Amino acid sequence: MDLIFFLIFSFVLLLVSVFKGYFIVYPLLVSITVLFFLLLKRGFSSTKLFALAWNGSKKSFSVIYILLLIGAVIAIWMTAGTVPAIVYYGIQFIHPSYFIVSAFILSLLVSLLIGTSFGTVSTIGIALMIMASGSSVNPQITAGAIIAGAYFGDRCSPMSSSANLIAIITQTKIHTNVRRMLATTVVPLVVSTIVYLLISIANPVEFERQSITSEIARLFNVNPIVLLPAFAILLLAWLRVEIKISMLVSILIGLFISIFIQGYSFTEIFRYIFLGFELTEDSNLKNIILGGGIFSMARVCLVVIVSTAFAGLFTGTNILNSVQIYLQKAKSKSNLFLATNLIGIASAAFGCTQTIAILLTEELVKDKYHENKLDNYQLAVDLENSVVVLSPLIPWNIAGLVPATILMTDSGFIPFAFYLYFLPLFNYFEMKFRERDNNSRSRRLG
C-alpha cells in the first residue's frame, strides 16, 4: 500500500512540476528521497540503496559525453549556417497545396540530421508554424506533422540521445540498431506520408516565403558548402564510424566554415559552443535561429543521471514484481511487444520524461526477452518502436509538452501526430500476421 501512495505522490508531483514549468530534476530528487526512506522502512540498508542508485547512474555516463557533444554540434551548425541553410533550402520547395506533408518531411529530414526533436521544432518547426500562422488551417494539424517528423530522427538518427541511450543500456551497436529501425519504419512512414498528403490537399496553406528566406540570406552566407557538417555526419554514419568521432569531425568542419565563410571569431564560436547560439543583431528570426551549446545540455544530463538512479532503485529492489508477473503471460513475440508498449505508456505517464520511460521499460522487460530467446537487438528496436514514440503522446510528458510549447500550441496536436502511433500499431500487427502465417504453415506441414 505504501508503494501505491508513493507512486501517486510522485506522479502528482511530477505532473504539477511539468505544468508549472519547474525544472524536472527538483521533483525527481524529492521523489527519489521519499523512495529511499520507503525502502529503508522495508528493510533495505542505506549502503545497498546508495550502491543501487550509483550503479543505475553509471549507465548514464557514456551517454552524457554524447549529449554534451550534441549540444556543441548544434551550436556549431548554427554558426556555420548549416541549420539556417537547411531551413532556407527546405522552404524553397514548399508548395501551398502540399504544405502539411512538406512540414512532416522537412521536420523528418532535419531531425534525422541533428538527432533531436527539440532542436528540430526550435528551428524548422518554428519557421513552418510562422509560415502557416496566417492561414485558416487548424494549427494543431501543422504542429502534429512537425512533431511526428521531429521524432523520426529522435528515434533513429545516429546523433539521437535516446537512440544512443538505448544502445548503451541494451549493449548494442547504434549503427546496427539504426538499420533495423529503418527497416521497421517503412510501412508506417509511407502510410503517414499519404495521410498528410491527403490532408494537405484538402487544407492548402498560403504563406509568404520571401521574408524568411531573404532574412536568412541577409544574416548568413548561404551556399551548399555550409551543409558539409551535416553531410559529414551522414557519410561517417554510413561508413559505421563511431558517433563520437563523427560529431568531432563535424564540429571541426563547422569550425572552419564558421570562421572563413560566416566570419565569426574564435572567441564568438567558443562562447556559442558553451552557451548556445544567438543572433546578435535585430531580426525577426532572433527567437527562431538559436540554441545548442554544452551548457544547455547540462540540464538534460542532470535529468539523465537522476533518472538512471531512480530506475536503479526501482529495479534493484524488485518493488515492481507485479509487472514481472504480468509479463509472464506474454508467450509470443507480438504479445511481448504489446506488453512492452503498455509498460512504456505507464512509464512515460508516471515518469513524465522519455528518459525515465526508456530506462524503466528496459529494466522491466529485458529478462522476459532473454527468456523468450530474443536478443538485445530485438529488445532495442522494440523499445524504439514503443516507448520512444509513445512518450510524446502523453500530454504532460516533456517529450510532447516541450515541443508543443515551443510551437505555441498544446496537446491538441496529438491526434495529428500519426506517425507516432502508426509505428507501434503497424509493427504489432505485422508480428501478429507473421505468427499466424507461421502457425498455419506448421499445421499444414504437421
Side-chain angles (χ1 to χ4, degrees), residues 387-400:
V387 63
V388 170
V389 293
L390 291 172
S391 293
L393 298 178
I394 305 299
W396 54 84
N397 192 296
I398 65 172

Side-chain angles (χ1 to χ4, degrees), residues 361-435:
T361 305
E362 188 269 342
E363 286 287 352
L364 290 169
V365 305
K366 66 179 181 181
D367 290 340
K368 187 62 178 178
Y369 272 77
H370 297 156
E371 181 184 323
N372 286 16
K373 298 180 180 180
L374 298 172
D375 62 19
N376 283 352
Y377 283 101
Q378 185 63 53
L379 171 59
V381 76
D382 281 359
L383 290 171
E384 295 284 4
N385 290 342
S386 57
V387 63
V388 170
V389 293
L390 291 172
S391 293
L393 298 178
I394 305 299
W396 54 84
N397 192 296
I398 65 172
L401 183 63
V402 171
T405 303
I406 292 172
L407 297 177
M408 296 168 289
T409 184
D410 54 31
S411 58
F413 79 87
I414 291 175
F416 305 104
F418 300 111
Y419 174 74
L420 299 184
Y421 44 87
F422 281 179
L423 184 66
L425 281 174
F426 277 89
N427 276 277
Y428 171 72
F429 286 117
E430 187 272 337
M431 290 179 186
K432 272 293 187 185
F433 289 140
R434 184 173 296 180
E435 289 169 358

Side-chain angles (χ1 to χ4, degrees), residues 208-231:
E208 178 55 56
R209 75 182 73 191
Q210 190 62 38
S211 60
I212 296 176
T213 55
S214 61
E215 187 67 4
I216 291 176
R218 183 181 74 84
L219 296 168
F220 297 92
N221 186 344
V222 179
N223 61 70
I225 293 176
V226 303
L227 296 174
L228 285 178
F231 284 123

Side-chain angles (χ1 to χ4, degrees), residues 77 112-113 157-159 175 179 227-243 245-247 249-250 253:
W77 284 13
L112 188 61
L113 288 172
S157 168
M159 284 183 63
H175 299 304
R179 289 198 302 273
L227 296 174
L228 285 178
F231 284 123
I233 286 285
L234 293 179
L235 176 61
L236 293 173
W238 183 70
L239 294 174
R240 301 185 185 181
V241 175
E242 186 180 359
I243 188 61
I245 297 175
S246 301
M247 286 191 282
V249 170
S250 181
I253 295 172

